[in-house]
């Protein structure tokens, strides 16, 4: 999904998606829920107060467990 | 003042660096051009200073015309309902800063005029006298008040990244 598609789905400017990805803008609860809704995922899977671990780290950790 | 074009209703996409350059050109060329153009008449056959001043004002107006259709000016002037929450938050910050700077400049101008009157017998400080002086000052204030919030937005925004 492109930034433009996501922006259209939640009704924001595509630039705003770039701000969110870079962590330069903290969205409102309403916007966070809308974005999570587009991906059919719980909001804590999309946004977190701590930076998400990289995919490689997650796979490595799963393998160790 | 935002001039919406039919082809680009969201404003012409412009890099923050270009917009900053145009704002600096506008804020530097207009006053310098007015000073040169309205300076004392030297009686020369070819008033080079006056013509140079006029050209500088024309270039400043060109920068203003380009900025009037930019996405920065759109964000600064668009009704609230047409902006998203990030754009609104940025605009509120930019408008607050622009108002602070504008109010400070007005206060400094008033202070200057007051000091000029107080020390009129000791210093020969410049003051707008002719209609041309007031005209230049009036349009300068109008241009500044119309563009200052967008200028703050241009300094705040990051260049858009590729999709």
């Amino acid at each position: 999904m492109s930034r433009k598609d996501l922006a259209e789905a939640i009704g924001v400017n595509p630039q705003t998606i770039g701000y969110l990805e870079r962590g330069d803008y903290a969205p409102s609860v309403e916007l966070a829920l809308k974005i999570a809704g587009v991906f059919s995922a719980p909001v804590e899977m999309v946004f977190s107060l701590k930076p998400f671990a990289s995919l490689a780290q997650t796979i490595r950790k799963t393998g160790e467990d | 003042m935002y001039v919406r074009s039919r082809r680009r209703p969201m404003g012409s996409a412009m890099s923050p660096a270009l917009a900053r350059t145009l704002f600096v050109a506008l804020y530097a060329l207009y006053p310098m051009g007015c000073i040169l153009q309205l300076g004392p008449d030297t009686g020369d056959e070819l008033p080079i200073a006056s013509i140079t001043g006029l050209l500088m004002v024309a270039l400043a107006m060109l920068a203003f015309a380009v900025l009037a259709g930019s996405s920065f000016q759109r964000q600064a002037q668009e009704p609230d309902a047409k902006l998203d929450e990030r754009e609104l938050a940025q605009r509120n910050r930019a408008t607050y800063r622009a108002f602070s700077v504008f109010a400070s400049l007005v206060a400094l101008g008033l202070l200057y005029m007051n000091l000029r009157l107080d020390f009129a017998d000791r210093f020969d400080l410049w003051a707008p006298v002719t209609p041309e002086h007031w005209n230049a000052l009036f349009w300068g204030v109008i241009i500044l008040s119309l563009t200052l919030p967008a200028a703050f937005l241009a300094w705040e925004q990051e260049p858009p990244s590729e999709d």
Side-chain angles (χ1 to χ4, degrees):
Chain A
M1 177 181 264
S2 72
R3 277 193 196 121
K4 198 177 169 206
D5 295 336
L6 178 59
E8 274 174 19
I10 58 174
V12 297
N13 189 324
Q15 258 194 319
T16 302
I17 306 299
Y19 274 81
L20 291 168
E21 285 176 348
R22 291 193 300 270
D24 289 341
Y25 176 68
S28 66
V29 174
E30 186 187 349
L31 186 58
L33 287 169
K34 276 184 187 173
I35 293 170
V38 169
F39 296 111
S40 306
V43 74
E44 59 269 26
M45 270 188 78
V46 187
F47 295 100
S48 166
L49 290 173
K50 292 175 190 166
F52 287 110
S54 71
L55 193 60
Q57 279 176 325
T58 312
I59 292 169
R60 204 177 305 134
K61 198 179 171 194
T62 312
E64 284 168 6
D65 293 342
Chain B
M1 190 180 87
Y2 168 55
V3 180
R4 189 189 305 277
S5 80
R6 283 189 185 171
R7 280 192 304 141
R8 297 192 190 97
M10 298 292 276
S12 60
M14 183 184 289
S15 73
L18 175 62
R20 290 169 198 170
T21 307
L22 289 173
F23 278 116
V24 169
L26 174 62
Y27 296 149
L29 288 175
Y30 182 81
M32 283 180 350
C34 286
I35 289 168
L36 283 176
Q37 220 254 323
L38 300 172
D41 189 4
T42 52
D44 294 343
E45 269 188 37
L46 190 65
I48 292 173
S50 181
I51 292 170
T52 310
L54 203 60
L55 280 174
M56 288 168 91
V57 172
L59 282 174
M61 288 303 103
L62 191 65
F64 178 66
V66 174
L67 288 167
S70 70
S71 55
F72 298 101
Q73 201 63 22
R74 181 195 78 86
Q75 191 178 347
Q77 304 283 333
E78 197 85 285
D80 286 3
K82 292 190 173 178
L83 298 175
D84 68 34
E85 60 174 54
R86 190 264 312 168
E87 290 174 309
L88 274 174
Q90 279 186 334
R91 177 166 79 180
N92 288 345
R93 270 198 306 275
T95 307
Y96 172 75
R97 287 173 186 161
F99 175 77
S100 304
V101 169
F102 189 78
S104 304
L105 287 175
V106 170
L108 282 175
L110 291 172
L111 181 70
Y112 172 82
M113 296 303 276
N114 196 29
L115 288 174
R116 185 190 160 271
L117 287 176
D118 285 350
F119 297 104
D121 51 339
R122 274 188 266 174
F123 303 108
D124 186 23
L125 294 172
W126 177 86
V129 188
T130 65
E132 287 81 13
H133 290 165
W134 283 110
N135 205 22
L137 206 60
F138 172 78
W139 286 109
V141 170
I142 294 289
I143 287 170
L144 190 67
S145 64
L146 287 175
T147 57
L148 210 49
F152 275 98
L153 284 171
W155 257 270
E156 188 177 337
Q157 288 199 5
E158 299 290 327
S161 46
E162 295 300 315
D163 195 20

